[in-house]
Amino acid sequence: MTRDDKLDEKLRRAVADLVVRPGAKVSLPRDFDPGHKAGYVDRDDAKEMLQHTLERLAMYQDRLAAQQTFGLLVVLQGMDAAGKDGVVKHVMAGMNPQGVVAHSFKRPSASELRHDYLWRHQVALPERGQVGIFNRSHYEEVVAVRVHKELLEAQLLPSKKTGPRLWQTRYREINAWERYLVDNGIAVVKLFLNVSRDEQRNRLLERIDDPEKNWKFSEADVHERENWDAYQKAYGAMLSATSTEAAPWHVLPADHKWFAQLAAAGAIVGAFEAIDPRYPKVSAQQREALSRAREQLLRD
């Protein structure tokens, strides 16, 4: 086993411990520690592995784009200030931006509300050869909408479809949709950034106290903290119901941003490894064309 293989294996074991087993019942924060570091001491301790993992991401993305067979969808969920934007910034930075499409889903527009709740997510899916990022996603429909009932009222649903079985119905629909995507070559990597209430408070205070971070602060984030317990319950139910063999959830400890970013990179590399994209093989006819083109260029 080479040194790089050892690095990969260490991270692979760490990421495997963060997967929600299909059928498991998740209670937050009891079942997953937001401060977990998988044996790493600090950012410097994980720096080498993160760099190595980002290089592997770039390699796999290049193959994905060349093969034009598979797509990869990265789903990011988490409380405000959990570090979703940081994952997009630091983990995806090593990829070719031409092959990455990011969407941050806000409250649905009037036009979007006239469609089914998955419609706007379906049209935003990555093409074959692309990596797509949903920074907040279709899971808001079973989390934020569950916590804020007024959001559900705006969805123009038939009254008989908004009863107590609504959430179980949506879990089933989402699972079936993701199974459909995987069957059609779109791998789905689901990352829940699990931040503690205390750490979230510290990050929000930092946004207030640091002038360079004032632009990140929103009073709405503070108001949402009043619903912390309701969100934790909704996220626990979501993780329990929608972690499947086709598209399992990874619960990333997010109190240490550097570890969340390392774990996210490791989970995405794991999805790439499962796809195993390859450069297309060149046919005999194509090799002949390449040879003629080479000779012509050498004569120039």
Side-chain angles (χ1 to χ4, degrees):
M1 181 179 289
T2 68
R3 184 167 174 273
D4 283 349
D5 289 336
K6 290 179 181 178
L7 284 175
D8 288 345
E9 184 58 31
K10 181 178 181 181
L11 182 56
R12 189 176 291 110
R13 290 197 303 269
V15 170
D17 290 339
L18 306 177
V19 175
V20 177
R21 291 179 293 102
K25 299 299 181 183
V26 177
S27 176
L28 295 174
R30 183 195 66 190
D31 295 332
F32 291 93
D33 177 11
H36 178 66
K37 296 185 290 185
Y40 295 99
V41 178
D42 53 25
R43 182 184 299 273
D44 289 339
D45 188 31
K47 184 177 181 180
E48 183 180 10
M49 184 177 286
L50 178 59
Q51 181 58 39
H52 171 66
T53 306
L54 294 182
E55 290 170 1
R56 290 181 68 82
L57 281 179
M59 174 195 70
Y60 277 123
Q61 186 206 12
D62 195 54
R63 293 183 186 179
L64 186 82
Q67 189 181 45
Q68 293 285 304
T69 300
F70 297 96
L72 182 68
L73 174 63
V74 180
V75 174
L76 292 172
Q77 286 291 147
M79 296 291 289
D80 297 317
K84 298 181 292 297
D85 291 343
V87 167
V88 175
K89 178 180 178 180
H90 295 287
V91 176
M92 303 303 177
M95 294 190 185
N96 185 335
Q98 289 184 320
V100 179
V101 180
H103 294 274
S104 183
F105 291 97
K106 306 297 184 182
R107 184 173 293 205
S109 67
S111 175
E112 289 168 337
L113 287 170
R114 289 195 288 271
H115 293 271
D116 65 272
Y117 71 94
L118 287 175
W119 176 80
R120 64 176 180 156
H121 307 285
Q122 177 72 32
V123 299
L125 288 170
E127 300 175 1
R128 300 187 191 280
Q130 284 189 335
V131 176
I133 304 168
F134 283 2
N135 187 353
R136 296 192 186 275
S137 68
H138 47 294
Y139 282 100
E140 293 296 299
E141 298 293 339
V142 292
V143 177
V145 174
R146 189 168 188 171
V147 173
H148 295 284
K149 299 298 191 294
E150 67 275 13
L151 298 179
L152 182 63
E153 294 170 1
Q155 293 190 354
L156 310 177
L157 294 172
S159 57
K160 64 181 180 180
K161 297 295 184 181
T162 60
R165 299 293 300 171
L166 171 67
W167 310 117
Q168 294 302 321
T169 298
R170 287 196 169 182
Y171 295 146
R172 185 179 69 251
E173 292 166 346
I174 288 171
N175 289 342
W177 184 59
E178 291 176 350
R179 175 76 260 183
Y180 164 81
L181 296 181
V182 172
D183 287 346
N184 280 273
I186 308 299
V188 182
V189 185
K190 301 188 299 195
L191 308 177
F192 171 65
L193 276 69
N194 185 31
V195 69
S196 68
R197 184 178 174 88
D198 286 346
E199 178 61 21
Q200 188 205 45
R201 179 196 61 218
N202 293 339
R203 292 179 186 179
L204 293 176
L205 285 170
E206 186 178 13
R207 292 178 180 182
I208 294 173
D209 297 337
D210 185 345
E212 294 185 358
K213 295 185 178 181
N214 287 168
W215 65 274
K216 292 184 177 182
F217 180 74
S218 169
E219 285 189 59
D221 295 344
V222 176
H223 295 318
E224 281 292 74
R225 277 176 62 82
E226 298 174 5
N227 299 305
W228 181 273
D229 291 341
Y231 271 107
Q232 294 295 291
K233 183 177 179 180
Y235 271 123
M238 175 202 79
L239 295 168
S240 301
T242 61
S243 192
T244 63
E245 294 290 346
W249 274 105
H250 296 76
V251 179
L252 309 186
D255 277 6
H256 303 283
K257 293 180 181 179
W258 57 266
F259 182 73
Q261 291 161 13
L262 175 62
I268 298 169
V269 164
F272 269 129
E273 288 178 340
I275 294 173
D276 194 22
R278 302 293 182 92
Y279 291 113
K281 292 184 178 180
V282 179
S283 67
Q285 184 178 4
Q286 289 171 320
R287 281 197 298 272
E288 290 178 7
L290 290 172
S291 179
R292 290 193 300 270
R294 185 176 187 278
E295 292 175 1
Q296 182 177 345
L297 288 169
L298 289 174
R299 288 195 300 267
D300 262 356

